[in-house]
Amino acid sequence: LRFLSWSPAMAAAAMLLLGAMLWFAWPSESLVPPRALGMVLHEEGRPALSSDTEPERRRVSVNDTILAGYRYETGPDAGLLLGLNGPTQIKVFGDTRLRVSSERSVRLESGAAHLEVSPGERYFRVNTPNGKVTVFGTSFAVEILADVTLVTVIHGEVQVENSRAFTILRDGEQARVRADD
């Protein structure tokens, strides 16, 4: 009978011990995989992929998942078609380096890309060494030359800006943007 009188206290102590073990044994890093921002739809040549966490370049293949921070590089005879959630399609031409920041933001570091961006609740942004392109849902091209970024609107509307000015481009218009001009 004495044993039965101690059982509630023993059960509470066992629960407390089990809780402490779970607290200290629980993994500190999240085991949830990063959210996919899209998928590689087409590749030609030998495009490469690197990231901040994986600086070593590896080959890109069709159906690869696109994650934030991925940097895509194409050689002279290579090309890519990236599909981002939203939906947005980015055709990456040869000799181009493009970094995906989010499903609504990329950085074109060098080379040329053609983008088809559908309208969304948030704007789509293309950052370049010379300025920013804010997209309202359109078809346009961005090309980085020696000291200038060339933005051409095929259909729709984009805002092009740098540290000194901004302008709105519409169907068939083009702008040359320098960092300070």
Side-chain angles (χ1 to χ4, degrees):
L1 286 171
R2 268 187 170 201
F3 178 72
L4 292 177
S5 66
W6 287 92
S7 61
M10 296 283 261
M15 294 295 283
L16 185 61
L17 181 63
L18 180 62
M21 288 174 36
L22 283 174
W23 177 265
F24 289 110
W26 202 262
S28 61
E29 293 185 25
S30 174
L31 299 177
V32 176
R35 184 170 175 265
L37 302 179
M39 177 187 304
V40 176
L41 303 175
H42 181 76
E43 54 93 11
E44 291 178 13
R46 298 185 58 83
L49 163 69
S50 63
S51 71
D52 295 336
T53 58
E54 300 174 34
E56 189 172 318
R57 293 172 42 173
R58 66 176 173 90
R59 187 153 194 258
V60 177
S61 298
V62 173
N63 295 332
D64 279 355
T65 301
I66 298 172
L67 299 176
Y70 275 13
R71 178 179 288 113
Y72 295 91
E73 296 180 49
T74 57
D77 298 325
L80 281 172
L81 181 60
L82 306 176
L84 297 179
N85 301 337
T88 297
Q89 288 190 352
I90 305 171
K91 184 175 184 179
V92 182
F93 295 103
D95 286 329
T96 297
R97 191 169 57 228
L98 178 125
R99 178 185 170 93
V100 178
S101 304
S102 73
E103 61 191 21
R104 300 300 284 176
S105 177
V106 297
R107 178 168 179 78
L108 185 62
E109 297 173 353
S110 65
H114 177 268
L115 295 91
E116 296 276 341
V117 179
S118 69
E121 293 177 7
R122 298 175 303 155
Y123 297 128
F124 189 92
R125 171 95 15 110
V126 178
N127 295 299
T128 72
N130 298 310
K132 299 175 191 169
V133 181
T134 303
V135 182
F136 307 112
T138 185
S139 173
F140 68 105
V142 180
E143 183 176 5
I144 311 272
L145 303 172
D147 64 340
V148 68
T149 298
L150 184 63
V151 179
T152 307
V153 176
I154 292 123
H155 177 71
E157 191 174 77
V158 301
Q159 175 179 301
V160 180
E161 63 184 287
N162 63 12
S163 61
R164 302 184 79 197
F166 75 92
T167 188
I168 303 288
L169 301 176
R170 293 179 176 80
D171 293 4
E173 294 182 333
Q174 186 177 72
R176 292 178 179 270
V177 183
R178 288 187 175 83
D180 295 324
D181 184 17

